[in-house]
Amino acid sequence: MKVPLTGAVAPYVTDMSDEPEFRRDPVCGRWAVVAPERSRRPMTLDGAEPRHRKNGERKPCPFCPGQEHDTPREVLAYREPGTPADGPGWRLRVVPNRFPAVRPDVDEEACSVGGMVFVTTPGLGRAEVMIECPEHLTDPTKLTDGRFADVFRAYRDRLLTLAEDPRLAYAAVFKNVGAEAGASLGHTHSQLVATPVVPDAVEAELAGGKEFYTRTRRCVFCDLAARELAAGKRLIARSANFLAVAAYAPRFAYEFWVLPLAHAARYETLSDAAALELAVLMKRVLTALDRAQAEPAYNWFLHAAPLRSAELPHFHWHLEVLPRTARPAGLEWGFGCYITTVAPEQAAWELRAAL
Ligand SMILES: [Zn+2]
Ligand SMILES: [Zn+2]
């Protein structure tokens, strides 16, 4: 793995040496290795460094206004009053994914195969694309605050609608920015994939949160927020109701999490005002990331309580932002153990400096 540091290394004095250190994620228990010395290894293969964002694409693209015929019929749109569905006049638009990984209309009888070894279940679900603005912008930080807030409001509105289908247990909401992060179209968009199962990463957090709660009667995320606020060394930015912190046991250098300060398991409870506040904070930190790391590709994803969940005392919704500052290799793919070469304390220092 390679972490390209842009410019001089910031003079942050960490309380750790260059010695490698194992760190355990406080919620899901995943181990990571922080090994700053590894950043000095030689890198001689072409393309060994992860790519940054590039944009050389044709316009208009299938997500641009006037191209609505290129996408399936919209399931949600924030649009000018009086403009007809599936035509221009929208400022945000959600459509079923034209090339879905899962479908709402599978024949559940035909493809159910049970077995001890090979278990199959129908690829039932809903895959949707959220086109975040009509302008062909490839960088979400170029959205106005109001447009950025629309994205967080639309996440909520879709979760509420998807919850009405009792076959669906979870809606994974995520965003890929840049080809290195898996995006195939540049026009800024998010994706939703709703499935009959709760994804492993969320199950692990639910289980970790429950285990912590059983021991302490407290929410691990609330504890984490309080400790990070008090200590400050991994704190990147905060607003009245939200906190951005460098992940304690990151998978990639500069990984950060954004979470509400007040306990909330269900993202669906987010108010319009809170969506705006969240948007302003995310824009600030993402802009700092672009400055500090020369516009890396990144993913963000929403980890929230399952659909139709009660307000859980042991889980706390949050956004995780994963910059592609490195490329997973054998240890990561094969064993689920991540090595990062920038200490989170250093990353937080650099991001604070770039705000
Ligand atoms: Zn476009
Ligand atoms: Zn909490």
Side-chain angles (χ1 to χ4, degrees):
M1 301 202 310
K2 162 74 175 173
V3 178
L5 274 174
T6 53
V9 175
Y12 178 78
V13 181
T14 66
D15 51 9
M16 61 182 288
S17 65
D18 257 10
E19 296 293 310
E21 180 176 279
F22 279 103
R23 290 196 183 189
R24 193 170 182 272
D25 182 274
V27 184
C28 70
R30 177 186 52 234
W31 283 100
V33 185
V34 177
E37 206 173 359
R38 227 179 114 67
S39 65
R40 292 198 281 271
R41 73 194 186 285
M43 186 118 348
T44 58
L45 266 184
D46 268 356
E49 290 192 28
R51 266 156 295 159
H52 287 170
R53 295 205 296 272
K54 282 201 191 77
N55 182 25
E57 109 187 294
R58 72 184 165 87
K59 289 185 263 181
C61 79
F63 293 169
C64 283
Q67 307 300 311
E68 289 82 0
H69 56 271
D70 253 359
T71 55
R73 291 187 172 281
E74 62 199 37
V75 293
L76 172 74
Y78 298 160
R79 52 168 61 253
E80 293 303 315
T83 55
D86 299 309
W90 49 275
R91 58 178 206 276
L92 176 146
R93 191 164 175 260
V94 183
V95 296
N97 195 316
R98 204 172 151 191
F99 306 96
V102 288
R103 336 175 57 111
D105 52 1
V106 288
D107 181 351
E108 297 186 43
E109 297 303 311
C111 56
S112 273
V113 183
M116 291 294 285
V117 179
F118 302 114
V119 180
T120 308
T121 190
L124 169 83
R126 282 180 190 274
E128 298 178 345
V129 177
M130 180 179 295
I131 308 162
E132 293 163 359
C133 64
E135 298 82 16
H136 188 90
L137 297 177
T138 55
D139 181 350
T141 64
K142 299 290 189 293
L143 295 171
T144 62
D145 293 349
R147 286 271 174 83
F148 209 127
D150 277 346
V151 175
F152 291 132
R153 291 178 190 130
Y155 287 176
R156 174 197 64 201
D157 293 351
R158 284 316 291 160
L159 289 185
L160 287 167
T161 303
L162 290 164
E164 291 168 9
D165 184 341
R167 301 172 304 169
L168 302 175
Y170 197 83
V173 180
F174 60 98
K175 181 170 174 66
N176 308 329
V177 180
E180 182 77 21
S184 43
L185 282 168
H187 195 135
T188 186
H189 65 285
S190 293
Q191 292 187 59
L192 296 95
V193 177
T195 54
V197 296
V198 178
D200 281 355
V202 178
E203 281 288 15
E205 289 186 349
L206 286 164
K210 188 149 208 174
E211 200 264 329
F212 187 88
Y213 186 81
T214 305
R215 264 191 295 126
T216 64
R217 311 314 285 176
R218 293 197 308 270
C219 162
V220 63
F221 291 94
C222 286
D223 258 31
L224 181 143
R227 281 165 195 267
E228 295 292 25
L229 265 179
K233 59 186 176 180
R234 280 178 297 274
L235 187 65
I236 301 166
R238 68 161 293 183
S239 62
N241 299 293
F242 294 96
L243 188 63
V245 291
Y248 172 74
R251 283 153 288 189
F252 293 92
Y254 304 88
E255 173 178 347
F256 66 91
W257 296 5
V258 176
L259 64 163
L261 285 164
H263 183 77
R266 304 180 67 242
Y267 180 83
E268 294 90 323
T269 59
L270 186 79
S271 70
D272 281 354
L276 179 60
E277 186 186 324
L278 176 62
V280 171
L281 182 68
M282 277 288 276
K283 251 179 82 170
R284 272 185 82 206
V285 181
L286 288 169
T287 304
L289 174 70
D290 280 351
R291 277 194 208 118
Q293 283 294 297
E295 303 190 344
Y298 56 85
N299 306 97
W300 81 52
F301 29 87
L302 172 65
H303 282 174
L307 297 173
R308 299 176 300 281
S309 191
E311 183 54 60
L312 307 170
H314 60 275
F315 190 72
H316 191 125
W317 75 259
H318 56 283
L319 289 158
E320 300 183 10
V321 182
L322 226 54
R324 292 311 180 91
T325 43
R327 196 173 281 131
L331 191 63
E332 289 80 7
W333 285 121
F335 302 90
C337 185
Y338 285 80
I339 304 177
T340 173
T341 55
V342 179
E345 296 73 23
Q346 167 80 23
W349 188 94
E350 287 178 41
L351 291 173
R352 279 197 306 270
L355 281 173

